[in-house]
Amino acid sequence: MSEDVRELTEEEKADKERRKIKSAGAMRELMTKYYIEAKGAEGTKRHIAWITSGAPVEPLIAFDVIPVYPENHGAMCGAAHMNVELCEVAEGRGFSRDLCSYARGDIGSAITRGGPIGGLPRPTFLVACNNICNTVFKWYEELARFFDVPLFIFDTPFVRGELPEHLAAYSVRQMHEYVSFLEKMTRKEYDDARFVDVAAKSLFASALWKEVLACNEHRPAPMTCFDAFILMAPIVTLRGTQEVVDFYQGVLEEMKRRIEEGIGILPSERYRLLWDNIPVWYEMRNLGRLFMELETCLVADTYTSAWTFEGVDAEKPLESMARIYTEVYLNINLERMADKIESLATRFGVDGMIMHSNRSCKPYSLGQYDLAKEFTRRTGKPALIIEADHTDSRWYDRAQVETRIRDFVENLLGSGL
């Protein structure tokens, strides 16, 4: 029985409070302030841009544009169990249920102003980058028609193996075209000093985030990747600002303090697992309870590390940004994905991997069966694939998923195979 179901003893309550991550409160304050500012800017002279999660946000910050992320909003709607009704609005307009549930929910929210914060502020323009998927093309074209606003598409060709120079050069040209688009939209000239300052803050915050995630290499882990899914909101949304740098410095200090004091996120950590794909947002609480009961910590994942940048040339921030955004996890071939998964498994000392086969996120889920076999071949560790959808709970069978996870942990990991 989980500690949230039966009444806890005073000692257990004190231990639970001791293990609680305090930075989560600071994160909520930061994001609440951000959304209040963004919604307050609607109808003013301040520009608002809706942008995909994988697109370069730093130029927007440098041009004093407020970035707004429909995917972040979709995660909020999913966690609040409100996305299905928004998806149904889009489906009622003819959008297929097989499309991304972030896209369907976002279109439904744009039509109804629905969701936990009453919808997103109307955009001045849109920015979509196809490094995460090609659905964003049609999704943002639909938004551009709906709001009657300009759309900039940042095109990133798929990278097979190492990034060839001609693709790197093409990505840099995309970055220059992006800057020209912003000059036209904002009627401001590009300020190189301002961009360098924003890029430096973005890279510094990314480095801090990378250190935060690396803290989970320690046993017991000071947090689970479910905590990381929550704490990543600022690095996705507001990287390039001093507030985000300050926030992740605070998170890192807390994680280091937890390690020094031997505070694990679970009362008992027996097994360590790697998670692949976007979270099942509406089921985080229940899955978290299940893994705690099984004394199993999800210590690393392939999702949150997408915002840890490497190979940066501080002297050439624009070029570095172009290269970084072209080589994100979902824009590389399976062999490089397998290399990354193997590296995470080794660094974090995992006993196995759970892969979320995401019903409406094809780019993330395509090839998972091959990756699972390759993971086991390289590491000797087992992998489990569960089926769900990141925000559409109609595709989720809780009893089936929990039974499979329980069997995987108790029988397969417990047997030492």
Side-chain angles (χ1 to χ4, degrees), residues 8-20 22:
L8 301 179
T9 65
E10 291 303 316
E11 185 178 351
E12 287 172 329
K13 288 179 182 176
D15 182 61
K16 184 178 180 180
E17 181 61 29
R18 177 172 168 266
R19 287 186 283 106
K20 186 182 294 182
K22 310 302 185 293

Side-chain angles (χ1 to χ4, degrees), residues 336-350:
R336 288 187 64 181
M337 286 182 169
D339 290 343
K340 178 160 185 174
I341 287 174
E342 181 185 11
S343 173
L344 288 172
T346 301
R347 283 178 48 212
F348 289 86
V350 303

Side-chain angles (χ1 to χ4, degrees), residues 16 71 76 79 122 192 223 232 289 304 332 355-356 387:
K16 184 178 180 180
E71 290 155 81
M76 291 170 55
R122 181 185 175 85
D192 190 56
M223 65 175 181
M232 74 177 187
R289 287 173 177 161
T304 55
I332 57 177
M355 308 183 89
H356 166 204
E387 295 182 354

Side-chain angles (χ1 to χ4, degrees), residues 198-211 235 242 245 248-249:
V198 170
K201 290 187 174 73
S202 174
L203 297 173
F204 189 30
S206 170
L208 289 168
W209 179 233
K210 186 177 180 179
E211 282 193 74
I235 195 67
Q242 186 60 45
V245 171
Y248 285 111
Q249 282 177 325

Side-chain angles (χ1 to χ4, degrees), residues 78 81 226 280-288 396 398 402:
H81 298 262
F226 284 2
V280 185
W281 289 110
Y282 48 86
E283 197 64 8
M284 294 256 286
R285 183 180 294 274
N286 289 325
L287 287 175
Y396 186 68
R398 179 182 297 164
E402 290 192 355

Side-chain angles (χ1 to χ4, degrees), residues 26 33 56 77 117 167 286 364 367 398 414:
K33 179 184 174 187
C77 294
I117 60 170
L167 288 190
N286 289 325
Y364 219 141
R398 179 182 297 164

Side-chain angles (χ1 to χ4, degrees), residues 21-95:
I21 294 177
K22 310 302 185 293
S23 296
M27 194 275 306
R28 283 192 290 272
E29 289 180 12
L30 180 61
M31 296 306 294
T32 298
K33 179 184 174 187
Y34 155 68
Y35 274 112
I36 288 174
E37 181 185 0
K39 288 180 74 74
E42 184 173 4
T44 71
K45 293 182 180 179
R46 187 89 183 270
H47 289 282
I48 299 170
W50 287 18
I51 181 172
T52 56
S53 65
V57 70
E58 293 81 3
L60 293 182
I61 302 292
F63 276 90
D64 197 30
V65 175
I66 297 177
V68 170
Y69 287 80
E71 290 155 81
N72 178 272
H73 182 241
M76 291 170 55
C77 294
H81 298 262
M82 299 178 74
N83 211 51
V84 169
E85 60 187 79
L86 297 175
C87 286
E88 288 174 342
V89 172
E91 291 159 17
R93 299 291 183 99
F95 291 93

